[in-house]
Amino acid sequence: MEVSAHKTKSGEYQLEIGPVTFELTADATAALSKVISQRLSQSGLDAENLHRKLKAYRAVANKLAYADDAIIQKFSTQLAPEQLITLVRLADGDSLYNKVARNLSKQNRRQFEDDFNGLNKITEHAACLHMEQIVPLIKKTAQEQKALQEINDTG
C-alpha cells in the first residue's frame, strides 16, 4: 500500500493511504507523528523482550534433552504437533529430537518425524506463544514425576 503526504495551498496536510485521503491540521499531524514514533520505539522493546524470552525457552529446551524419559513420554503426547516441533527446534543440536523420537510409539514417532520435516518455518512470535503454553505442562509433569519418584524411594 502506498502512502504519501503533502501540504495543501490552504496550509493543511493531506495524507493519502492507498485510496483513502485524510486532511489534517498541523496539530493533528504533530500528534500523529508522536504516536507513530512511540509505536516504533515500543516495537524495539517488544523485539528485545521476545528475544529474551526465546533465550530462556531455548535453555528450557536444552535442559529437557537431559530429563527423565518418563517426563518426555508423558508430556510429549499431550502437546499439539506444532508445540512439540517448536520445543524440539529451540533445542541446540539433535539430542532433544532423538530423545523425543525414542520415547514415542512407532506410529507417533513416524508422525512426529513427518511433522518435524513439514513444519520447518516457525516465527519467533509463534514459538513464544507455543512455549508459553508448554512450560506449565512441563512443570506439572516434572512435579508429578518427582512425587512418584519420592513415593518409590520411600516405599
Side-chain angles (χ1 to χ4, degrees), residues 15-142:
L15 179 64
E16 294 178 23
I17 305 172
V20 180
T21 302
F22 296 98
E23 289 191 15
L24 306 168
T25 63
D27 292 338
T29 305
L32 182 61
S33 176
K34 183 178 176 184
V35 168
I36 291 171
S37 295
Q38 287 174 340
R39 300 289 177 166
L40 289 175
S41 66
Q42 184 179 15
S43 70
L45 293 174
D46 290 344
E48 282 180 38
N49 289 335
L50 185 69
H51 289 290
R52 193 178 75 250
K53 283 182 180 181
L54 283 175
K55 186 176 179 181
Y57 291 144
R58 191 173 307 276
V60 169
N62 286 326
K63 285 180 183 179
L64 281 174
Y66 303 102
D68 283 349
D69 286 351
I71 292 173
I72 301 295
Q73 288 170 2
K74 187 165 185 178
F75 84 80
S76 63
T77 57
Q78 297 174 7
L79 299 179
E82 297 84 8
Q83 292 173 323
L84 187 57
I85 300 306
T86 299
L87 178 64
V88 170
R89 288 199 182 277
L90 281 174
D92 296 327
D94 292 336
S95 57
L96 185 58
Y97 175 90
N98 293 331
K99 186 169 202 105
V100 168
R102 184 175 64 241
N103 283 288
L104 293 172
S105 68
K106 202 176 225 181
Q107 181 180 358
N108 286 345
R109 184 178 322 124
R110 269 188 250 124
Q111 185 62 51
F112 168 71
E113 290 167 350
D114 290 345
D115 291 342
F116 187 84
N117 291 327
L119 296 171
N120 56 5
K121 294 184 180 180
I122 301 169
T123 65
E124 291 178 340
H125 182 69
C128 274
L129 290 176
H130 289 307
M131 289 303 293
E132 286 171 1
Q133 296 165 350
I134 294 169
V135 168
L137 184 62
I138 292 170
K139 285 181 181 178
K140 180 182 172 195
T141 304

